[in-house]
Amino acid sequence: MRKNRKDSAIMKSKNVQLSALKESNAKNTYTKTRRKKQNGFCYKLVKYRVFLLMLLPALLYTLVFSYIPMGGVILAFKKYSYAGGIFNSPWNGLKNFEFFFKSGQALLVTKNTVLYNLLFIAFNTCLQITVAVLLTEVKNKHFKKISQSIMFLPYFISWVIVSVIAFNLLSFDYGVINSIIEKLGGEKINFYTTGTVWPIILTLFGAWKGVGYGSVMYLAAIMGIDTSIYEAASIDGANVFQRIFKITIPLMMPTVVILFLLAVGGIFKGNFDMFYNLVGNNGVLYNYTDVIDTLTFRALISNNDFGMSAAAGLYQSVLCFVTILLVNKLVSIYSKDYTLF
Amino acid sequence: MKLKIKAASYEIKKSSDAKLLSFLAYFINGVIALFCLIPFIMVVSASFSSEEAIKRFGFSLYPREFTLEAYTTVFKEPMVVLRAYGVTIVLTILGTLAGLFLQTMTAYVLSRKEFEWRNKFSFFFYFTTLFSGGLVPSYILMTRYLGLKDSYLALFLPLLFSVYNLLVMKSYIMGLPESLIDAAKIDGCGEFGTMVKVVIPLLKPAMATVGLFIALAYWNDWYNAMLYIGKESMHPLQYFLYKQVNNIEAYKRIIESQQVSSEAASAMSMPTQSLKMALTVVVTGPIILLYPFVQKYFVQGITIGAVKG
């Protein structure tokens, strides 16, 4: 009896175990099917319907204004006719590119775009770092605030207004710079026909407009430096210049490198706003001031040469894309945190 | 005794270094700030100078032969200037509001960790900064397929959405404590409700920053008007200035080339140089008055953007 009872007890417990196992098995298959459902595309479409609805306007906008024009690059290989539009115009092979490269314009505008950008990057970086470092040394709060505000002023105005200001300074007859040159007994310069001075003029105006904006980023980098490092250095007897060159600047380097690389990513992009407003449609200066963007614009608007303009545009987009990929690779070698994607 | 002297001389040396640096800091920043300011003063002073004074002495720092002639010429037909102002103001207000809403909503969705597809969609937006169709396809799209030539939408749409602003906004929202959003959801708020009632009120500095970026883009836009707007009555402020300045130059050249008699010339004469400057002052006006107040927000925005632009 006893044994029997024991047996039945064991049987019972086994039964319980078995049923528990069965139950858990059933649960497992249940969760499995549920998980399958959760991973399904349609399930997620329903689950995320509010998110997707909220994204919809921006998605449509980007699709229409960014992605559809990307498809339009095929125009670079077509002979555009107004009747045919993008899709029904006849193919033109590589003739648009041939024309663009053989005219010698491709080489000229590429060279100009790259050299101007290198000049801008070098000059702006040096100027903005100098301003940021020196601004942190200014102890008078009012001076600091006011001078920073004034440096920010040019950032807020349009390039159209800058062009009037430039005329005010550079005009042959009434310009301030020529008045000064005349007073000093020199010979007046006609800036608007002298190509060689434009790299300087454009660099200075670019720096003028960007100094307040650009220095803020370097200021933020300096603010992030631990002040105890400075205290330790001053106890060790470092003078103020050593402090700047041995601590501030080395510790700013990550920011400097990142901003430099980002700027290099856009090296094939000309600042159309700046070039077009300051130089204008001034044929005398093309050799010195024509960049890819101004050429593309002129080919489209003035000459109605859709094919060549599209070819130049595609050429620029591809160069930009390749440089950004290269730069991103460089950034990832330098620091994984700063990669763009 | 010796040690003391050494310490003292060191003190002097240190303070002279500090003095030199502090002098350089004030001097160089002061000079750069002056360079940033002087061109504006010259434009203003030229706008108040008489045409003869400009022709005789050139542009200068203070107005010679003070006159309001240029301004009276600008406002001879006040409606022309005011209409351009109206176009720009309406565009700026509508564009900023719509752009802010669109960018905040998109950034909110892309910042929600719960949303598994957020990285894919982020890349969808981000890719447009890597590769673009360029000027010609966009131009043809706008004019031919969307039919937006001579339409206010051609001024409104191109500046409405920018990936840079989206990223700035996203990094602000990512900075908010997640528990707040979770709490709102437990209280029964939907995603849209959570965004409007919980997230947006916490985003005031971000809204100010991104809003200013958008507003400035609309206020200073002339490029889209040049491409798409032919009707003069629809020109926004900056393009109005651009057109006027070029017209004045052309007008001047016509007078010079026709070699009209001096009497006729003086009858036709109008203050060309000071007029250009007065127009510039009128167009610059509000932004210059506004910027000391909004600059603070720009500084915030740039700093955030610099972390991950």
Side-chain angles (χ1 to χ4, degrees):
Chain A
M1 265 304 267
R2 254 190 169 180
K3 206 187 169 191
N4 259 353
R5 220 185 253 166
K6 217 181 184 179
D7 273 358
S8 73
I10 288 170
M11 282 293 278
K12 240 186 197 167
S13 73
K14 260 191 182 165
N15 266 341
V16 169
Q17 271 179 1
L18 214 76
S19 67
L21 208 74
K22 258 187 193 163
E23 215 168 83
S24 76
N25 262 345
K27 216 180 197 171
N28 262 347
T29 50
Y30 175 66
T31 48
K32 252 183 203 161
T33 52
R34 231 183 106 176
R35 208 170 287 150
K36 222 180 203 173
K37 250 190 196 165
Q38 276 182 354
N39 282 328
F41 181 74
C42 291
Y43 175 82
K44 281 190 179 163
L45 219 53
V46 176
K47 185 181 167 195
Y48 294 140
R49 63 188 183 281
V50 181
F51 284 140
L52 292 172
L53 221 63
M54 286 168 81
L55 273 185
L56 194 65
L59 287 178
L60 279 178
Y61 181 94
T62 311
L63 195 70
V64 172
F65 289 102
S66 298
Y67 281 93
I68 290 180
M70 280 183 209
V73 295
I74 55 162
L75 206 67
F77 306 98
K78 288 200 166 190
K79 197 179 170 76
Y80 184 78
S81 71
Y82 193 79
I86 293 183
F87 303 104
N88 295 325
S89 293
W91 291 97
N92 201 17
L94 292 173
K95 286 223 177 82
N96 291 328
F97 290 94
E98 234 171 77
F99 182 63
F100 174 52
F101 284 101
K102 278 196 179 147
S103 65
Q105 284 170 308
L107 192 70
L108 176 75
V109 291
T110 313
K111 192 188 84 189
N112 278 348
T113 314
V114 171
L115 288 181
Y116 268 113
N117 272 321
L118 286 177
L119 197 60
F120 295 164
I121 294 168
F123 191 76
N124 282 339
T125 309
C126 292
L127 181 74
Q128 287 161 10
I129 290 176
T130 310
V131 167
V133 168
L134 289 179
L135 262 184
T136 51
E137 297 297 331
V138 169
K139 297 292 179 285
N140 183 325
K141 265 193 181 162
H142 293 290
F143 183 87
K144 199 174 181 173
K145 223 177 162 187
I146 292 173
S147 62
Q148 212 192 349
S149 290
I150 295 176
M151 284 183 217
F152 229 107
L153 187 62
Y155 176 75
F156 283 82
I157 58 165
S158 73
W159 278 106
V160 180
I161 290 171
V162 180
S163 82
V164 177
I165 288 175
F167 179 81
N168 192 315
L169 292 169
L170 304 174
S171 147
F172 183 71
D173 296 321
Y174 328 112
V176 175
I177 294 176
N178 275 328
S179 303
I180 294 172
I181 291 177
E182 227 177 12
K183 254 180 208 153
L184 295 175
E187 202 143 298
K188 284 203 207 173
I189 304 167
N190 194 345
F191 292 103
Y192 289 95
T193 55
T194 315
T196 44
V197 295
W198 279 90
I200 302 169
I201 294 171
L202 288 164
T203 310
L204 288 179
F205 272 103
W208 180 76
K209 205 165 184 302
V211 64
Y213 184 95
S215 57
V216 167
M217 282 181 272
Y218 295 111
L219 264 177
I222 296 175
M223 294 300 170
I225 297 173
D226 189 354
T227 46
S228 63
I229 302 175
Y230 289 113
E231 282 156 21
S234 75
I235 288 166
D236 286 347
N239 67 25
V240 280
F241 290 100
Q242 284 171 327
R243 224 176 59 203
I244 288 175
F245 289 108
K246 299 257 161 75
I247 303 173
T248 311
I249 290 182
L251 286 178
M252 279 171 81
M253 269 341 253
T255 313
V256 176
V257 171
I258 296 304
L259 291 176
F260 172 79
L261 287 174
L262 286 179
V264 169
I267 204 160
F268 289 105
K269 269 192 197 121
N271 185 345
F272 177 81
D273 240 1
M274 173 186 186
F275 281 90
Y276 194 76
N277 274 304
L278 287 183
V279 183
N281 247 336
N282 190 340
V284 186
L285 299 178
Y286 283 163
N287 273 341
Y288 296 93
T289 60
D290 213 10
V291 288
I292 304 178
D293 297 77
T294 47
L295 177 79
T296 317
F297 175 81
R298 220 170 42 243
L300 175 70
I301 299 296
S302 311
N303 311 339
N304 265 323
D305 190 344
F306 284 74
M308 208 269 271
S309 186
L314 179 60
Y315 164 75
Q316 182 183 32
S317 287
V318 170
L319 285 180
C320 277
F321 187 63
V322 173
T323 38
I324 291 173
L325 290 185
L326 278 176
V327 162
N328 197 53
K329 191 83 204 150
L330 281 176
V331 176
S332 73
I333 292 168
Y334 183 77
S335 156
K336 278 264 186 291
D337 296 338
Y338 289 101
T339 48
L340 300 168
F341 46 86
Chain B
M1 202 46 199
K2 253 186 181 174
L3 214 93
K4 241 185 188 172
I5 291 166
K6 224 178 177 181
S9 69
Y10 171 70
E11 275 300 306
I12 290 164
K13 195 180 158 223
K14 187 183 161 199
S15 71
S16 73
D17 272 345
K19 264 184 196 158
L20 178 63
L21 181 69
S22 140
F23 169 75
L24 279 178
Y26 281 95
F27 181 73
I28 293 178
N29 276 317
V31 168
I32 293 175
L34 272 184
F35 268 110
C36 287
L37 187 64
I38 286 174
F40 290 95
I41 298 175
M42 284 181 165
V43 169
V44 175
S45 95
S47 72
F48 287 113
S49 297
S50 74
E51 193 69 15
E52 280 68 47
I54 293 177
K55 279 190 179 141
R56 209 153 357 113
F57 306 111
F59 296 117
S60 57
L61 257 179
Y62 53 92
R64 292 181 210 245
E65 298 178 17
F66 184 90
T67 165
L68 288 174
E69 200 191 350
Y71 286 93
T72 49
T73 316
V74 170
F75 286 106
K76 211 179 251 166
E77 289 168 74
M79 275 324 287
V80 181
V81 184
L82 292 181
R83 199 161 44 200
Y85 252 104
V87 171
T88 297
I89 289 173
V90 171
L91 267 175
T92 304
I93 292 174
L94 288 182
T96 307
L97 291 178
L100 257 182
F101 178 72
L102 189 61
Q103 259 139 108
T104 312
M105 189 162 70
T106 314
Y108 172 77
V109 175
L110 295 181
S111 69
R112 299 283 286 126
K113 294 225 168 64
E114 229 178 278
F115 185 44
E116 285 168 47
W117 297 339
R118 68 178 195 285
N119 286 332
K120 282 177 193 155
F121 280 115
S122 293
F123 189 77
F124 176 83
F125 293 116
Y126 186 71
F127 184 74
T128 61
T129 63
L130 301 180
F131 190 82
S132 73
L135 175 66
V136 183
S138 308
Y139 180 80
I140 292 175
L141 175 82
M142 291 288 281
T143 53
R144 189 187 161 102
Y145 292 99
L146 299 176
L148 294 180
K149 189 123 193 152
D150 279 333
S151 149
Y152 284 118
L153 279 177
L155 300 176
F156 179 75
L157 289 173
L159 298 173
L160 190 58
F161 188 80
S162 108
V163 177
Y164 176 78
N165 287 339
L166 181 73
L167 291 176
V168 171
M169 200 53 129
K170 197 176 126 192
S171 63
Y172 264 109
I173 299 179
M174 300 275 249
L176 296 178
E178 231 170 289
S179 52
L180 271 171
I181 295 170
D182 291 338
K185 302 213 69 191
I186 290 166
D187 287 348
C189 261
E191 291 295 344
F192 192 77
T194 311
M195 183 191 85
V196 173
K197 286 183 200 143
V198 180
V199 175
I200 288 182
L202 291 170
L203 278 180
K204 268 182 199 148
M207 295 292 227
T209 310
V210 174
L212 284 168
F213 276 119
I214 305 172
L216 199 63
Y218 275 105
W219 188 272
N220 281 340
D221 179 45
W222 60 283
Y223 180 66
N224 289 309
M226 177 171 69
L227 282 180
Y228 304 119
I229 307 292
K231 276 189 196 152
E232 253 171 52
S233 63
M234 292 173 71
H235 286 169
L237 209 47
Q238 305 294 331
Y239 190 57
F240 164 78
L241 173 68
Y242 175 86
K243 272 290 207 202
Q244 293 291 325
V245 168
N246 283 326
N247 287 348
I248 292 168
E249 276 301 302
Y251 179 78
K252 207 181 94 191
R253 243 173 270 139
I254 289 169
I255 291 184
E256 281 169 2
S257 66
Q258 280 178 341
Q259 293 179 329
V260 282
S261 67
S262 59
E263 278 165 51
S266 67
M268 279 165 77
S269 90
M270 60 179 205
T272 53
Q273 297 312 321
S274 55
L275 180 63
K276 272 183 359 187
M277 301 304 154
L279 271 169
T280 309
V281 172
V282 169
V283 168
T284 313
I287 278 281
I288 292 289
L289 296 177
L290 212 64
Y291 100 97
F293 304 103
V294 300
Q295 186 207 338
K296 184 179 88 188
Y297 293 108
F298 265 100
V299 170
Q300 277 179 2
I302 302 161
T303 326
I304 286 254
V307 179
K308 194 123 195 180

